[in-house]
Amino acid sequence: MLAGGLTLDEIPYWREGTLDKYTPWGDYVVVKFARWDFEKFPGAQDKLGTQMRAVGEVMSIGKNYKEALQKAIRSLEKGRYGLGFVKDFNERTLDDLLERLSEPSSERQFIMYEAIRKGADIELLHKKTHIKRWLSSR
């Protein structure tokens, strides 16, 4: 409706009359997830650093972190439906996955998921990636 030219005070909202009076309520989680397309940058390595190469991001809302994260991954429009079975990461050894986690890449969350599935220690993942333990244990 906003894209069609309506303003917030013109859009009906069931709780307070119009959408300009919206206030968040209830329990929900919002996840923003960067969309990386290194194939759009000829010669670029899939290595994250100080130079931003994201081509956008997605945002999702869910009842909990897991639901919101899964929705965000599906929203990337890369034919992925979750963290598992991306590329050939599920076929790699735990040692290989841990080695790949040493350098930040656009696939880091997916590699970390497979490492956890293969029994990687959360504390070791935290030391290697500096990603908070809470996110690794969800």
Side-chain angles (χ1 to χ4, degrees):
M1 291 184 191
L2 291 171
L6 293 178
T7 59
L8 289 177
D9 62 339
E10 296 172 323
I11 299 174
Y13 178 53
W14 66 273
R15 281 183 57 217
E16 298 291 332
T18 57
L19 201 52
D20 63 326
K21 307 227 179 15
Y22 169 79
T23 54
W25 65 281
D27 293 330
Y28 58 89
V29 175
V30 177
V31 169
K32 288 176 75 177
F33 202 98
R35 180 181 167 103
W36 308 96
D37 284 321
F38 280 93
E39 59 273 5
K40 290 185 176 184
F41 302 97
Q45 291 181 336
D46 186 352
K47 183 177 176 184
L48 304 181
T50 57
Q51 196 174 39
M52 196 64 167
R53 291 196 178 111
V55 295
E57 63 187 5
V58 297
M59 184 192 87
S60 64
I61 301 172
K63 295 179 191 109
N64 55 49
Y65 176 74
K66 290 178 183 180
E67 179 182 329
L69 180 65
Q70 290 291 99
K71 285 181 176 182
I73 292 168
R74 287 193 314 265
S75 297
L76 293 171
E77 297 179 346
K78 290 185 156 215
R80 296 178 180 177
Y81 302 98
L83 288 169
F85 300 98
V86 171
K87 296 190 174 181
D88 65 346
F89 300 139
N90 63 312
E91 299 168 8
R92 296 185 176 273
T93 66
L94 179 56
D95 288 338
D96 184 33
L97 294 170
L98 292 173
E99 180 64 32
R100 288 174 174 267
L101 286 172
S102 297
E103 291 289 333
S105 75
S106 66
E107 302 291 353
R108 201 172 213 192
Q109 289 90 345
F110 304 99
I111 296 169
M112 184 179 287
Y113 174 81
E114 292 297 343
I116 291 171
R117 278 186 5 118
K118 292 183 188 277
D121 179 63
I122 299 299
E123 189 62 33
L124 174 64
L125 291 174
H126 170 68
K127 287 179 182 175
K128 192 167 269 301
T129 65
H130 301 285
I131 293 174
K132 295 195 179 285
R133 291 168 197 85
W134 184 87
L135 293 174
S136 300
S137 63
R138 295 290 166 216

